Amino acid sequence: MSPHDVPPENEEIPFMQRLLDNPFILLFLGVASPAVLYLIWGIMEIVSIPLGK
Amino acid sequence: MNTNFRVCPETGFHVHKPAELLMKANAVAAVVFLLVGGTFGLLVGLTRWPAVHLLPADQFYLVLTAHGLNVLIFWIIFFEIALLYFCSAVLLKCRLATPKLGWVAFALMLIGALLNNYIVMQGNSSVMMTSYTPMGADPLFYLSLILFAVGALIGTFIFFGTLAIAKAENTYEGSVPLVTFGATVAAIIAVFTIVSGAIILIPTFLWSVGLVAHIDPLMYRMIWWAFGHSSQQINVSAHISIWYFIAAVVFGAKPLSEKVSRTAFLMYILFLQLASVHHLLVDPGLSSNYKMFNTSYAMYLAVMASMVHGLTVPGAIEAAQRARGFNKGLFEWLTKAPWGNPVFSGMFISLVGFGFLGGITGVVMGVEQINILIHNTVYVPGHFHATVVIGTTLAFMALTYWLVPVLFRRDLVMKGLAKWQPYIFGLGMTGVSLFLMGAGTLGVPRRHWDIGFAGTGMTHDFPAAAYTMMALNGMSVVLAVVGGAAFCIIIVASLLFGRKLGEEKSSPALAAEMVTDDEYKTLHASGGITVPGTLCLTFIFFASFAAYYFINWKYLSQTWGIS
Ligand SMILES: [Cu+2]
């Protein structure tokens, strides 16, 4: 079924399609993923470098 | 019926008039900044052409700063805001959320862009686009970027607001169209990009006025690239959406599989921005785990998504063309494509250049080990002129040829020149990309006024081939600038003097009839795989990819002999 068809009443919309149809959950995922894996991980590595004397 | 809408006589689109005005304003501003930024690009190219060496060092860095910001930020983001409004309000037949705020966003962006150009021209902010600390610029330099970013963020949220309105008012059924979905991905990446920019530029602004004592250079680089690299991923999502859109309006092509294309876009949402680490591959203090996870494991998933788009866009075109009768041999669908229509030729050159030149080299330079071969050489600008100029800018140009009659209801002028423009620009930029990468492989540094260090007491001799490549790059720059200027002239002249179309239809038709399911079915009945030509191109792509990847490992093995 292409996402443009409206499913019959009794048919469940598949989970992936519901996910892809919700821009705000996608927005959350798209910000959370790089925030954790790039920014937070990176910041943690940089702040754990011992200070030179 | 709301009188705030007009129905486009050619495409049948319902266009919300306040949205249309905003799209026009943003698109016009975009082209103006492209013209400004392109002019600076010419000066950069002529200075790095050893025999010409046009500008003195201080002016070179000033011009390099202005070039980067105008084309990489102002041209592209203004255009993307217009695109976001188009993909939400127009494609969903919806009113735009808060047009008044749209004008506030536009004003902030315009003031930011103008102020930035003004302050860079003053000469004390020649810090280049990256403005790495502890190099300091005028406080207004950072402030202008912050203003621009706030404006862009408001524009992005107007897009999300419009999606919500369309959903609430049921202006579409089922899922949003794939092109709107792609634009959503661009908008999502834009939010992360702009927030990251704020996280680093606001403290840097405070540092420049003396309120913050110290900005750690390593921390600056890491957070800045969440902004600087991700902003280029907004472009990727945007120009790929444009490929799908142009395939639909020029050929009436439906995506081969909505599911596959949307899943590929989901990969972008999750992984594309992590590739920002490829800028930090030689930074001390960051572990190999961090570098490799982000630039290899995660990035390959995003690259796979790009390859899916690179396969499905020409595949969709092939299927549509075959369904329409161009079914002979492997490539009749391609040879009989409208190569004289700049909307198509620009899009197709964008696709091929982005994949072969930008994509392959991007993966290779993202590998931690082989990155060292070309790190901080002109190979890097060679790579991103393929992604961002051939890929993004050319796709935006192609779409602009289509938007002028649709939004402005003006016929294009100088159609003969427009036919050639994508080829001139594409060829020039291909030269820029290839020659810079060639010179970079020979070690020529990027962002450098004089690679020979003449008169400094520490001269360096590059092989003659490096000088030749920099000269060929200079010539390619001139060719590309001719193509870029042709674009700006055609568009500005069309807006000012193009014949008013009114209710009349332009030719070729702006929106092809969509290929029907029945037409596709007759194609399937004839048996076999439906897109053999595209598969053949895909194998050529993989072979080039593999060959180039392993050649670089061989180079690396020869860099330091083991004794
Ligand atoms: Cu990057």
Side-chain angles (χ1 to χ4, degrees):
Chain A
M1 191 188 71
S2 99
H4 289 284
D5 302 329
V6 185
E9 296 274 305
N10 52 4
E11 197 183 317
E12 273 274 311
I13 301 176
F15 167 75
M16 277 305 282
Q17 190 175 338
R18 270 184 295 155
L19 173 71
L20 293 175
D21 279 347
N22 190 328
F24 296 100
I25 294 184
L26 295 178
L27 174 62
F28 171 76
L29 291 176
V31 173
S33 163
V36 172
L37 293 169
Y38 179 87
L39 282 179
I40 295 179
W41 186 357
I43 290 170
M44 280 169 53
E45 292 211 338
I46 293 173
V47 297
S48 64
I49 302 171
L51 282 179
K53 298 205 176 81
Chain B
M1 178 80 204
N2 192 326
T3 50
N4 248 345
F5 284 81
R6 75 170 173 88
V7 177
C8 172
E10 297 198 60
T11 56
F13 285 143
H14 294 245
V15 185
H16 183 225
K17 287 181 195 158
E20 183 171 36
L21 267 181
L22 274 166
M23 285 185 261
K24 287 180 177 177
N26 280 284
V28 169
V31 173
V32 171
F33 286 105
L34 175 66
L35 188 63
V36 175
T39 310
F40 287 124
L42 176 66
L43 298 174
V44 172
L46 290 179
T47 304
R48 295 221 59 174
W49 183 345
V52 180
H53 213 53
L54 182 71
L55 298 175
D58 56 339
Q59 287 179 26
F60 170 73
Y61 292 108
L62 183 156
V63 161
L64 188 55
T65 307
H67 170 59
L69 288 162
N70 277 295
V71 286
L72 220 43
I73 304 285
F74 306 145
W75 140 249
I76 282 180
I77 307 253
F78 270 117
F79 196 90
E80 277 162 353
I81 294 294
L83 193 68
L84 287 181
Y85 296 162
F86 180 82
C87 291
S88 54
V90 178
L91 294 185
L92 298 179
K93 298 192 181 96
C94 178
R95 66 189 167 86
L96 189 76
T98 61
K100 279 205 189 104
L101 217 49
W103 286 107
V104 174
F106 178 74
L108 284 171
M109 288 168 68
L110 191 63
I111 293 168
L114 291 173
L115 179 62
N116 185 273
N117 271 286
Y118 170 77
I119 212 72
V120 169
M121 285 303 114
Q122 300 300 301
N124 57 352
S125 299
S126 301
V127 289
M128 290 169 285
M129 196 181 113
T130 44
S131 53
Y132 290 143
T133 59
M135 214 165 28
D138 192 295
L140 288 178
F141 175 88
Y142 307 106
L143 189 65
S144 63
L145 291 177
I146 293 166
L147 288 178
F148 185 87
V150 171
L153 191 62
I154 296 174
T156 309
F157 277 107
I158 291 174
F159 169 82
F160 283 110
T162 308
L163 289 187
I165 292 177
K167 179 120 200 153
E169 297 182 356
N170 283 316
T171 65
Y172 63 97
E173 280 182 357
S175 308
V176 297
L178 181 60
V179 176
T180 306
F181 187 74
T184 309
V185 176
I188 289 169
I189 298 177
V191 172
F192 176 75
T193 301
I194 297 170
V195 171
S196 305
I199 294 176
I200 195 61
L201 286 175
I202 292 172
T204 310
F205 167 69
L206 296 176
W207 166 74
S208 72
V209 292
L211 291 174
V212 166
H214 176 71
I215 300 280
D216 179 69
L218 184 54
M219 196 68 96
Y220 179 93
R221 278 172 58 79
M222 199 271 294
I223 302 178
W224 193 89
W225 279 114
F227 162 71
H229 182 86
S230 304
S231 68
Q232 307 319 311
Q233 316 299 21
I234 312 173
N235 307 343
V236 172
S237 312
H239 76 230
I240 286 175
S241 308
I242 291 175
W243 296 348
Y244 281 108
F245 183 73
I246 289 179
V249 293
V250 175
F251 297 96
K254 267 206 310 209
L256 288 181
S257 159
E258 291 271 351
K259 211 189 268 177
V260 169
S261 294
R262 280 171 207 248
T263 308
F265 272 127
L266 178 64
M267 298 289 210
Y268 277 0
I269 294 175
L270 294 174
F271 302 114
L272 190 54
Q273 305 161 70
L274 305 179
S276 307
V277 180
H278 78 169
H279 296 273
L280 310 173
L281 284 175
V282 303
D283 281 43
L286 293 165
S287 69
S288 281
N289 287 346
Y290 175 72
K291 291 173 182 174
M292 282 196 184
F293 175 82
N294 283 292
T295 61
S296 295
Y297 302 110
M299 192 181 90
Y300 295 157
L301 294 168
V303 169
M304 194 173 74
S306 290
M307 293 196 292
V308 167
H309 295 306
L311 170 82
T312 56
V313 172
I317 294 175
E318 178 173 2
Q321 286 278 80
R322 284 184 186 275
R324 288 268 156 88
F326 299 109
N327 210 1
K328 243 187 283 157
L330 272 182
F331 291 118
E332 195 196 15
W333 62 276
L334 195 56
T335 53
K336 293 277 167 67
W339 292 100
N341 177 356
V343 179
F344 167 72
S345 63
M347 169 264 167
F348 206 80
I349 298 170
S350 156
L351 190 148
V352 173
F354 180 76
F356 278 85
L357 288 175
I360 291 177
T361 60
V363 172
V364 168
M365 63 197 283
V367 176
E368 191 187 7
Q369 296 89 333
I370 39 191
N371 177 279
I372 200 72
L373 286 171
I374 50 84
H375 199 92
N376 262 342
T377 68
V378 283
Y379 188 100
V380 181
H383 155 77
F384 71 67
H385 279 78
T387 53
V388 135
V389 191
I390 306 178
T392 306
T393 294
L394 197 48
F396 287 5
M397 287 174 169
L399 184 70
T400 306
Y401 286 120
W402 187 87
L403 283 175
V404 165
V406 170
L407 288 185
F408 296 87
R409 296 306 294 147
R410 294 265 194 178
D411 204 15
L412 286 178
V413 300
M414 297 184 261
K415 286 188 176 153
L417 182 61
K419 208 182 244 189
W420 286 100
Q421 188 274 332
Y423 297 97
I424 302 171
F425 188 72
L427 187 68
M429 269 305 151
T430 302
V432 168
S433 175
L434 286 175
F435 294 125
L436 286 181
M437 289 196 281
T441 306
L442 296 170
V444 175
R446 68 185 292 200
R447 298 173 160 180
H448 213 289
W449 175 68
D450 176 20
I451 59 176
F453 294 94
T456 60
M458 47 171 272
T459 54
H460 181 81
D461 277 330
F462 281 99
Y467 284 90
T468 311
M469 298 243 211
M470 292 309 285
L472 288 168
N473 169 61
M475 293 173 207
S476 307
V477 167
V478 173
L479 186 62
V481 166
V482 169
F487 170 79
C488 296
I489 291 167
I490 293 166
I491 297 306
V492 172
S494 300
L495 297 186
L496 295 176
F497 313 115
R499 198 164 44 84
K500 289 199 173 137
L501 285 167
E503 294 299 297
E504 188 190 333
K505 296 208 171 187
S506 45
S507 107
L510 287 174
E513 294 277 330
M514 291 307 278
V515 179
T516 62
D517 285 347
D518 285 342
E519 285 175 292
Y520 278 120
K521 266 186 205 130
T522 47
L523 176 66
H524 273 287
S526 65
I529 309 164
T530 49
V531 291
T534 302
L535 288 184
C536 177
L537 294 177
T538 308
F539 285 123
I540 297 174
F541 177 81
F542 278 135
S544 326
F545 195 159
Y548 188 69
Y549 181 77
F550 288 113
I551 285 170
N552 272 277
W553 281 100
K554 179 146 171 46
Y555 281 156
L556 183 65
S557 73
Q558 291 164 343
T559 303
W560 296 288
I562 300 170
S563 56

